[in-house]
Amino acid sequence: MTSTFTPDTDVVVVGAGFAGLYALHKLRDKMKMTVRTFEAGADVGGTWFWNRYPGARCDIESVHYSYSFDEDLQQEWQWSEKFAGQPEILRYLEHVADRFDLRKDITFNTRVISVHWNDDESLWDVTTDSGEVVRSRFFISGAGNLSVPKTPEFGGIENFEGTVLMTGNWPQDGFDFTDKRVAVIGAGASGIQAIPLIAERAAHLTVFQRTPNFATPLGNGPIDPDEVSRIKSKYPQVRDAARNHFLGVPFDQIQPSALTVDAEERRRTFDERWNAGGFRLFIDSYQDILFDKDANDTIAEYIRDRIRERVADPVVAEKLAPKGYAYGTKRPPLETNYYEAYNRDTVTLIDVKDTPVRAITETGVQVGDDVHEADVIVLATGFDAMTGPLMAMDIRGRYGQRLADSWSGGPRTYLGLMVHDFPNLFLITGPQSPSVLYNMPLAIEDHVDFATEAISYLCQQGLDVIEPRLHAQDQWVATTNDIASQTLLPQTNSWYMGANIPGKPRACMVYLAGAPAYREACEDVVARGYAGFALERANNRALTASS
Ligand code: FAD
Ligand code: NAP
């Protein structure tokens, strides 16, 4: 065996969020493989490390938005609220890191800057910004879907004399808005969580909104101990029910059609779901709202009416009431006191749909010829979602082919997990999997389990390389697009479609047949001996691995 063919490690994992932490634990502790994990941040947490803006919290109940892989872990952890806030979710992930002693195998403050496949040696050469090169048999990306903040279209940020904050990269020690003149640009899920809390402290808050959202009540509160006991007494069954639901939560009240019931009954259903909070209204009311425009109109009009009831000034209410796109075709934000924030004298809403933000000046935000002065500007402008974190790693597969070139017309994956010409590279919750329309910790566990079981299978067969066949990938992309075209999602400009980033190819990033259908498809592939994948020996098989 020549030394050049010897990997430094079995697996490189990127990221120390939900995905990276579970992948490291599974590979190292359950499979006894050697693993190097790199994380750009200073500690574990991923999303919940970076997004420390006021009001940041999950939109899926914490008893469900949490790991299921370890019964002791899920029994011992106590959530204090129904929907935990960012500090509590971060504490949970820190607890997971401590409990499984994960930090010792994570290199923090280190960014992976290139990932190149070496065809001769069937290894990945992974380079970090500290100059280290690690040669690895497998590469698992837990780099996240929402971890690269969008670069805004407007310029001049460097000229601003005040403070610029980004929701997706918030100061570790927080920020005190007391008596400040604050400008928030963006009214998506992050802005909608932050605005009411910033409004409580700021001397004045100006919100720059391009597209209003269908935000509905979160319904948060202290967690009910009886409900928790009930769930914990049968957690495995609760998780099974969650996994067998479109969104990965154990909802069971959905009705077939908003159009086959009369207006009174529909209103009753919407009211019940509205009052229950969370995604009940979106995912547990009527099955056809994501498919049928007429059905969608009924719920969209309901939400617009509820917004109008809460905003005192009818002109402001109309600006906040979304029109021109279907409910649910952007991820519906969940809110607490969002609309009431606009009833304060100290909050101004500026509609920048027709007259966009032109620039940031030394003193504030310029819209048309007007400059709205501010001491602090908060960019709540979203992320280069799904593909952004992968593109940022300069991934090159066989023949030096860049992932950026392979995906120049939009992402192409098999099962959202692997890519033709990029062998032994696993994407955790990659494009064309249910990912962001599935309770993410469960989606992550499913993907890490698929990747690690594929690796085990390879090793058992005395093989080294797994890669999707082109025809299987083409078929999967076609199926994903076909399913998307049966829904209302492609008609809306959202990050699900890549439409929030100028110049990004428009393509549906999500497998929309739901988590259960997706899991069935993956299970079928495995049952048929990894159908659609080529499983091979390395070109020159002198690899060593601890597995
Ligand atoms: P992340 O948590 O994004 O972690 C990826 C990590 O990889 C990051 O720490 C990043 O620094 C690191 N990284 C990326 N590239 C590199 C590189 N090249 N080198 C080194 N390190 C790198 N989902 C839900 O299901 N429910 C929710 O309620 C919910 N709320 C959310 C709230 C916010 C504010 C945001 C932004 C997202 C939310 N999401 C939610 C989605 C959320 O991203 C996932 O639930 C989950 O946290 C993703 O975990 P992850 O480990 O895959 O990725
Ligand atoms: P987002 O949903 O993409 O919202 C970004 C906002 O910024 C939009 O209102 C967008 O307007 C606006 N914007 C972007 N560029 C602009 C510009 N040049 N001028 C004016 N406005 C501009 O991003 P996000 O709010 O960070 O949320 C992203 C995702 O993260 C969510 O969909 C969700 O999946 C997750 N998240 C979840 C929660 C939660 O409740 N748990 C909280 C935060 C985030 P347009 O719509 O017109 O583009």
Side-chain angles (χ1 to χ4, degrees), residues 46-54 56 86 111 146-154 157-158 160 162-175 177 182-186 189-191 194 198 360 375-384 501:
T47 291
W48 306 103
F49 173 86
W50 297 106
N51 290 264
R52 296 171 190 239
Y53 60 83
Q86 172 273 330
R111 188 170 285 282
L146 297 160
S147 57
V148 172
K150 168 183 163 172
T151 307
E153 294 90 334
F154 43 83
I157 291 172
E158 66 287 357
F160 185 57
T163 305
V164 178
L165 302 171
M166 246 184 198
T167 52
N169 187 2
W170 201 257
Q172 300 286 299
D173 299 327
F175 187 86
F177 287 96
V182 185
V184 174
I185 304 178
S190 303
I198 296 175
I360 304 300
D375 305 309
V376 188
I377 297 174
V378 176
L379 298 174
T381 41
F383 297 89
D384 184 354
I501 305 290

Side-chain angles (χ1 to χ4, degrees), residues 86-341:
Q86 172 273 330
E88 190 170 7
I89 304 173
L90 184 58
R91 279 200 302 280
Y92 168 74
L93 289 169
E94 288 168 348
H95 168 76
V96 171
D98 290 341
R99 194 181 196 287
F100 298 103
D101 197 12
L102 298 177
R103 283 192 183 85
K104 69 179 183 203
D105 287 303
I106 304 172
T107 309
F108 291 106
N109 297 306
T110 304
R111 188 170 285 282
V112 167
I113 55 169
S114 76
V115 184
H116 295 178
W117 176 252
N118 182 326
D119 241 334
D120 296 332
E121 304 180 12
S122 296
L123 297 177
W124 284 104
D125 290 337
V126 179
T127 307
T128 73
D129 61 358
S130 66
E132 187 177 2
V133 181
V134 179
R135 298 156 60 76
S136 173
R137 294 185 64 195
F138 299 97
F139 182 86
I140 297 190
S141 172
N145 295 320
L146 297 160
S147 57
V148 172
K150 168 183 163 172
T151 307
E153 294 90 334
F154 43 83
I157 291 172
E158 66 287 357
N159 300 328
F160 185 57
E161 287 169 353
T163 305
V164 178
L165 302 171
M166 246 184 198
T167 52
N169 187 2
W170 201 257
Q172 300 286 299
D173 299 327
F175 187 86
D176 184 3
F177 287 96
T178 308
D179 297 335
K180 300 275 196 294
R181 294 169 308 163
V182 185
V184 174
I185 304 178
S190 303
I192 283 170
Q193 286 185 327
I195 283 163
L197 294 171
I198 296 175
E200 280 178 12
R201 306 206 82 87
H204 193 91
L205 168 62
T206 310
V207 177
F208 299 84
Q209 170 196 270
R210 190 163 63 185
T211 312
N213 260 293
F214 290 96
T216 62
L218 178 65
N220 194 24
I223 204 155
D224 172 0
D226 294 338
E227 171 72 356
V228 173
S229 301
R230 195 187 57 75
I231 288 172
K232 285 191 172 177
S233 70
K234 49 172 186 172
Y235 230 142
Q237 292 97 307
V238 172
R239 298 296 196 171
D240 268 357
R243 283 197 154 88
N244 283 310
H245 182 276
F246 178 92
L247 188 72
V249 283
F251 291 167
D252 57 4
Q253 303 290 308
I254 195 146
Q255 297 174 32
S257 172
L259 300 175
T260 55
V261 293
D262 63 28
E264 207 178 315
E265 187 182 334
R266 202 162 47 225
R267 171 81 197 198
R268 214 171 23 246
T269 302
F270 289 157
D271 281 348
E272 265 175 24
R273 309 300 193 268
W274 175 278
N275 294 334
F279 282 134
R280 291 269 175 196
L281 187 67
F282 173 38
I283 291 291
D284 210 24
S285 57
Y286 294 107
Q287 220 145 19
D288 51 356
I289 60 169
L290 275 184
F291 300 92
D292 186 313
K293 178 69 170 57
D294 292 338
N296 196 284
D297 284 346
T298 65
I299 196 163
E301 195 48 34
Y302 172 83
I303 298 170
R304 281 191 284 269
D305 284 347
R306 301 301 305 250
I307 293 170
R308 291 178 187 119
E309 284 166 16
R310 291 169 63 185
V311 181
D313 180 337
V315 176
V316 177
E318 274 326 296
K319 283 188 195 167
L320 287 166
K323 296 163 199 98
Y325 70 95
Y327 168 63
T329 56
K330 286 171 176 276
R331 187 181 181 90
L334 299 179
E335 54 79 34
T336 306
N337 300 328
Y338 174 63
Y339 292 106
E340 286 72 14

Side-chain angles (χ1 to χ4, degrees), residues 64-82:
H64 306 304
Y65 184 77
S66 47
Y67 287 122
S68 72
F69 71 83
D70 187 286
E71 178 63 7
D72 292 342
L73 170 66
Q74 64 183 5
Q75 288 296 334
E76 78 200 8
W77 184 261
Q78 304 292 338
W79 297 104
S80 67
E81 291 178 279
K82 270 171 84 175

Side-chain angles (χ1 to χ4, degrees), residues 15 17-19 39-40 46-47 50 53 58-59 65 112 142-144 393 440:
F18 270 100
E39 167 54 59
T47 291
W50 297 106
Y53 60 83
C58 55
D59 56 12
Y65 184 77
V112 167
M393 283 192 281
M440 290 284 287

Side-chain angles (χ1 to χ4, degrees), residues 283-514:
I283 291 291
D284 210 24
S285 57
Y286 294 107
Q287 220 145 19
D288 51 356
I289 60 169
L290 275 184
F291 300 92
D292 186 313
K293 178 69 170 57
D294 292 338
N296 196 284
D297 284 346
T298 65
I299 196 163
E301 195 48 34
Y302 172 83
I303 298 170
R304 281 191 284 269
D305 284 347
R306 301 301 305 250
I307 293 170
R308 291 178 187 119
E309 284 166 16
R310 291 169 63 185
V311 181
D313 180 337
V315 176
V316 177
E318 274 326 296
K319 283 188 195 167
L320 287 166
K323 296 163 199 98
Y325 70 95
Y327 168 63
T329 56
K330 286 171 176 276
R331 187 181 181 90
L334 299 179
E335 54 79 34
T336 306
N337 300 328
Y338 174 63
Y339 292 106
E340 286 72 14
Y342 294 94
N343 295 335
R344 290 174 182 265
D345 295 339
T346 51
V347 176
T348 308
L349 178 64
I350 307 285
D351 183 343
V352 294
K353 183 89 183 161
D354 297 325
T355 313
V357 173
R358 186 193 286 180
I360 304 300
T361 69
E362 288 172 6
T363 56
V365 179
Q366 185 176 1
V367 177
D369 293 331
D370 299 333
V371 173
H372 300 265
E373 297 206 336
D375 305 309
V376 188
I377 297 174
V378 176
L379 298 174
T381 41
F383 297 89
D384 184 354
M386 312 291 294
T387 53
L390 299 170
M391 294 308 169
M393 283 192 281
D394 182 23
I395 299 175
R396 299 185 193 198
R398 290 195 194 279
Y399 331 113
Q401 190 173 338
R402 295 166 67 236
L403 187 68
D405 292 334
S406 293
W407 287 10
S408 59
R412 302 191 71 79
T413 71
Y414 183 38
L415 302 172
L417 270 156
M418 296 196 80
V419 186
H420 177 68
D421 275 343
F422 295 81
N424 289 4
L425 177 143
F426 294 92
L427 310 176
I428 304 306
T429 64
Q432 290 148 0
S433 74
S435 62
V436 290
L437 266 174
Y438 184 17
N439 175 5
M440 290 284 287
L442 299 191
I444 283 166
E445 288 180 343
D446 288 353
H447 270 192
V448 170
D449 289 344
F450 186 100
T452 52
E453 280 155 27
I455 291 171
S456 279
Y457 183 80
L458 269 188
C459 297
Q460 283 158 18
Q461 305 290 316
L463 300 172
D464 308 291
V465 177
I466 177 167
E467 179 191 349
R469 296 184 189 280
L470 185 58
H471 71 85
Q473 176 171 291
D474 287 346
Q475 182 65 51
W476 185 256
V477 174
T479 302
T480 305
N481 289 339
D482 183 44
I483 296 164
S485 71
Q486 294 169 45
T487 74
L488 300 172
L489 264 79
Q491 296 166 28
T492 296
N493 291 330
S494 69
W495 62 259
Y496 291 149
M497 297 299 300
N500 65 327
I501 305 290
K504 191 164 169 170
R506 193 180 179 94
C508 186
M509 305 275 179
V510 191
Y511 174 85
L512 286 168

